[in-house]
Amino acid sequence: MRKLLKALYLRIFGNKLSVKINFLNSIHFLLSKFAFRFKNLFFKTSDQSKQIVNNGYLVQNHMNHKEAVNSISNQVIELFKNEENLDLTYEKSGLIHLKNSLLHFPELIDLLSSKDVRNIIYGFLGSDFQVFSSNIYRTTKSNTKENTFSSLHYHFDSMPSSHLKVMIYLHDTDEKKGALKVVNRRKSIELRGKGFWERKSNEFHKTIIDNTEVLEGKEGAFIYFYPHDTIHKATLPEIGNRDIVNFVLIPTFKSNRGLGEDRRQFLSNNLDGYCINPFVF
């Protein structure tokens, strides 16, 4: 009986969060969509946004941001040379976080707010958006044989359906350098409907491997990614390091722009995964 109820809950919400959290996020999402449409009656959804809807992801090279991303990439390399800038909790497992990313790089908000980037996000969400969290991290070869942080297993993110991730590769990233691996949205939803949820499940492993796509990209590639409906996994590089910017975005009635220092510090360390109550965030 419990297994059936769990399957039903996953079919309805696509996550394991409480009814209250899902309800608050869903109502806020609908209101955000209404407010956006009221202010943007003639907004047209781009083909790039439709690709996220259909596939669950989009790899997009925004060439006009190439110089800005290259500058950030070079500065990140220097910051990683000083351990005082780093969270080394998972270093042996191959994961290192840069502390206070938005304090170091407030210009990341400008990248998100640029017309070409924000229109893709608008088109997918159907609303304006704000940053819920921002993080810069490095993946390296692991010093252990165990996958000791959970993102190395195929999984859905247990978060409300209103959340979107945007990543920026800070170096050329292919499969050997740890590119993100995903299963397209349609197949992912099908597998969740059949019971896939647990990160270490062996039952669906072959099907997932057979349907895996590797999201390779050049330095500066933006990865728009819908983790609620898309099976995915982090991959440690076989050679070198992979540096990446990671945002979690949520719908809003207000703008991202003009964030003060305190707010940027908060968002840089807000790594809880999902928004509990967007009305008071």
Side-chain angles (χ1 to χ4, degrees), residues 5 51 62 69 71 77 102 112 121 129 147 170 205 255:
L5 288 173
Q51 186 173 326
H62 296 283
V69 173
S71 174
I77 291 171
L102 284 181
L112 281 182
I121 300 168
F129 63 92
N147 288 341
L170 295 180
H205 185 72
S255 168

Side-chain angles (χ1 to χ4, degrees), residues 124 180 256:
F124 175 74
L180 182 69
N256 295 292

Side-chain angles (χ1 to χ4, degrees), residues 100-230:
N100 300 320
S101 60
L102 284 181
L103 290 183
H104 292 296
F105 302 106
E107 62 267 34
L108 287 170
I109 298 298
D110 296 330
L111 291 178
L112 281 182
S113 302
S114 62
K115 184 177 180 180
D116 52 343
V117 174
R118 74 172 187 262
N119 280 347
I120 291 174
I121 300 168
Y122 288 165
F124 175 74
L125 291 177
S127 73
D128 205 340
F129 63 92
Q130 65 175 316
V131 176
F132 175 74
S133 67
S134 172
N135 183 27
I136 295 176
Y137 63 88
R138 169 173 290 176
T139 50
T140 67
K141 278 188 172 182
S142 174
N143 292 326
T144 70
K145 294 182 180 180
E146 297 287 331
N147 288 341
T148 51
F149 64 97
S150 60
S151 294
L152 293 173
H153 300 282
Y154 283 100
H155 64 284
F156 293 100
D157 285 359
S158 190
M159 57 172 46
S161 60
S162 55
H163 292 34
L164 175 70
K165 283 188 175 181
V166 177
M167 301 177 176
I168 307 172
Y169 285 156
L170 295 180
H171 310 294
D172 292 355
T173 304
D174 57 18
E175 185 169 11
K176 288 188 175 181
K177 289 194 174 181
L180 182 69
K181 293 185 176 181
V182 303
V183 176
N184 75 68
R185 185 182 184 189
R186 180 177 296 179
K187 191 66 178 181
S188 293
I189 292 172
E190 176 190 321
L191 291 174
R192 184 168 60 201
K194 291 180 178 179
F196 174 77
W197 183 259
E198 301 300 332
R199 295 183 183 231
K200 296 184 180 181
S201 172
N202 292 320
E203 181 181 353
F204 302 95
H205 185 72
K206 184 179 186 305
T207 302
I208 289 172
I209 294 298
D210 289 344
N211 287 276
T212 290
E213 300 174 45
V214 183
L215 303 190
E216 299 182 331
K218 296 291 186 180
E219 177 185 275
F222 280 62
I223 313 297
Y224 301 84
F225 169 52
Y226 189 42
H228 175 270
D229 273 357
T230 309

Side-chain angles (χ1 to χ4, degrees), residues 1-126:
M1 185 66 177
R2 176 178 286 185
K3 189 174 182 179
L4 288 174
L5 288 173
K6 176 184 173 183
L8 179 62
Y9 198 88
L10 286 173
R11 281 182 178 272
I12 295 171
F13 296 113
N15 59 50
K16 288 186 175 181
L17 307 180
S18 70
V19 172
K20 179 180 178 181
I21 291 173
N22 279 298
F23 177 76
L24 287 172
N25 277 275
S26 295
I27 294 300
H28 183 270
F29 196 12
L30 288 173
L31 293 174
S32 297
K33 285 174 176 282
F34 177 79
F36 179 81
R37 183 53 61 182
F38 183 77
K39 293 185 290 185
N40 301 273
L41 292 174
F42 302 105
F43 180 82
K44 184 178 179 181
T45 302
S46 68
D47 290 338
Q48 291 97 328
S49 300
K50 292 175 183 177
Q51 186 173 326
I52 308 173
V53 173
N54 293 330
N55 296 338
Y57 66 87
L58 168 72
V59 180
Q60 184 73 23
N61 292 305
H62 296 283
M63 299 307 296
N64 53 320
H65 302 312
K66 186 175 180 179
E67 186 176 337
V69 173
N70 179 255
S71 174
I72 292 169
S73 175
N74 290 332
Q75 292 177 70
V76 165
I77 291 171
E78 293 303 312
L79 288 168
F80 266 90
K81 292 178 181 178
N82 184 349
E83 288 192 359
E84 292 183 0
N85 297 321
L86 309 177
D87 179 347
L88 299 172
T89 304
Y90 295 103
E91 180 184 20
K92 289 183 179 180
S93 302
L95 175 65
I96 305 171
H97 291 281
L98 178 68
K99 298 175 183 175
N100 300 320
S101 60
L102 284 181
L103 290 183
H104 292 296
F105 302 106
E107 62 267 34
L108 287 170
I109 298 298
D110 296 330
L111 291 178
L112 281 182
S113 302
S114 62
K115 184 177 180 180
D116 52 343
V117 174
R118 74 172 187 262
N119 280 347
I120 291 174
I121 300 168
Y122 288 165
F124 175 74
L125 291 177

